[in-house]
Amino acid sequence: DIQLTQSPSFLSASVGDRVTITCRASQGISSYLAWYQQKPGKAPKLLIYAASTLQSGVPSRFSGSGSGTEFTLTISSLQPEDFATYYCQQLNSYSLTFGGGTKVEIK
Amino acid sequence: QVQLVQSGSELKKPGASVKVSCKASGYTFTSYAMNWVRQAPGQGLEWMGWINTNTGNPTYAQGFTGRFVFSLDTSVSTAYLQISSLKAEDTAVYYCARDRVIAARPGAGDYWGQGTLVTVSS
């Protein structure tokens, strides 16, 4: 299976900060990567698919980039509602996998 | 509007079985594959596998073979996850998630059920 490593696993930031989360794949996955946001007690929410395409309804402060083995999720100006855990997911193989998650907390 | 509504929380004893349902509405059920995802308490997301809702063919991720079964009842637009011989380590929230696109392979989940907590305890 393709392994995904997210970094950092924990991030403390302030409202208005620019935040970047990295996801590295154990082998090349082209642009077959999605990002999700999950808040406590809630189901994950799809933010980005195909590495950089914003899901309908997701604010434009979220953006994704990368291809191959290295990907980033950027939040350009962190808002109070963005404090959550973020996961990447590879969609390249027929056996999908998630990264370990990055928890974004208030500084 | 697309909705996935899952069955309620379950408390089971070790060795028992459980069947979780995921009822879909607002779209053509057989057009989009359904994924299943597990989240143990305080842990991350694990992709369990998917079921092709057109053919009924399930595919299981490593670690989810043998005791886990995906099934469908297309007459009521519902997907099911059955877990047999339950163990304490099966305690988790289980989610169903609809594939974002119509395809013959698993993909990103654009709509998710609310999750079903399965607790296994003697």
Side-chain angles (χ1 to χ4, degrees), chain A residues 36 38 42 49 91-92 96, chain B residues 39 47 95 100 105 108-109 113:
Chain A
Y36 298 87
Q38 187 181 32
K42 299 295 187 183
Y49 60 91
L91 313 167
N92 183 65
L96 311 187
Chain B
Q39 187 168 39
W47 185 75
Y95 294 101
R100 188 184 64 81
R105 58 178 293 163

Side-chain angles (χ1 to χ4, degrees), chain A residues 2-63:
Chain A
I2 298 172
Q3 309 301 317
L4 295 179
T5 303
Q6 282 185 239
S7 60
S9 54
F10 176 86
L11 187 158
S12 182
S14 301
V15 172
D17 283 354
R18 181 181 181 88
V19 166
T20 298
I21 298 168
T22 297
C23 179
R24 289 188 174 87
S26 59
Q27 64 189 74
I29 58 171
S30 185
S31 296
Y32 290 101
L33 191 96
W35 289 97
Y36 298 87
Q37 175 193 67
Q38 187 181 32
K39 296 182 179 179
K42 299 295 187 183
K45 173 187 174 183
L46 178 64
L47 298 175
I48 287 170
Y49 60 91
S52 60
T53 304
L54 210 60
Q55 173 70 354
S56 175
V58 174
S60 59
R61 62 181 179 273
F62 291 93
S63 65

Side-chain angles (χ1 to χ4, degrees), chain B residues 4-33:
Chain B
L4 300 178
V5 178
Q6 296 185 224
S7 48
S9 297
E10 301 268 10
L11 174 60
K12 295 290 184 181
K13 294 190 184 303
S17 295
V18 68
K19 194 169 187 177
V20 175
S21 66
C22 170
K23 183 169 178 59
S25 61
Y27 71 98
T28 302
F29 180 70
T30 52
S31 292
Y32 296 83

Side-chain angles (χ1 to χ4, degrees), chain A residues 1 34 36 38 42-44 46 49 55 87 89 91-100, chain B residues 35 37 39 43-47 50 61-62 95 100 104-110 112-113:
Chain A
D1 280 2
Y36 298 87
Q38 187 181 32
K42 299 295 187 183
L46 178 64
Y49 60 91
Q55 173 70 354
Y87 295 92
Q89 182 190 33
L91 313 167
N92 183 65
S93 69
Y94 275 74
S95 183
L96 311 187
T97 47
F98 287 96
Chain B
N35 296 275
V37 175
Q39 187 168 39
Q43 302 301 310
L45 303 172
E46 284 184 276
W47 185 75
W50 68 294
Q62 276 188 3
Y95 294 101
R100 188 184 64 81
R105 58 178 293 163
D110 61 349
W112 291 61

Side-chain angles (χ1 to χ4, degrees), chain B residues 7 20 29 37 40 44 52 65-66 68 76-79 82 84 95 99 101 103 115 122:
Chain B
S7 48
V20 175
F29 180 70
V37 175
N52 184 319
T65 56
F68 300 83
V76 290
S77 301
T78 301
Q82 183 161 359
S84 59
Y95 294 101
D99 256 27
V101 294
S122 54

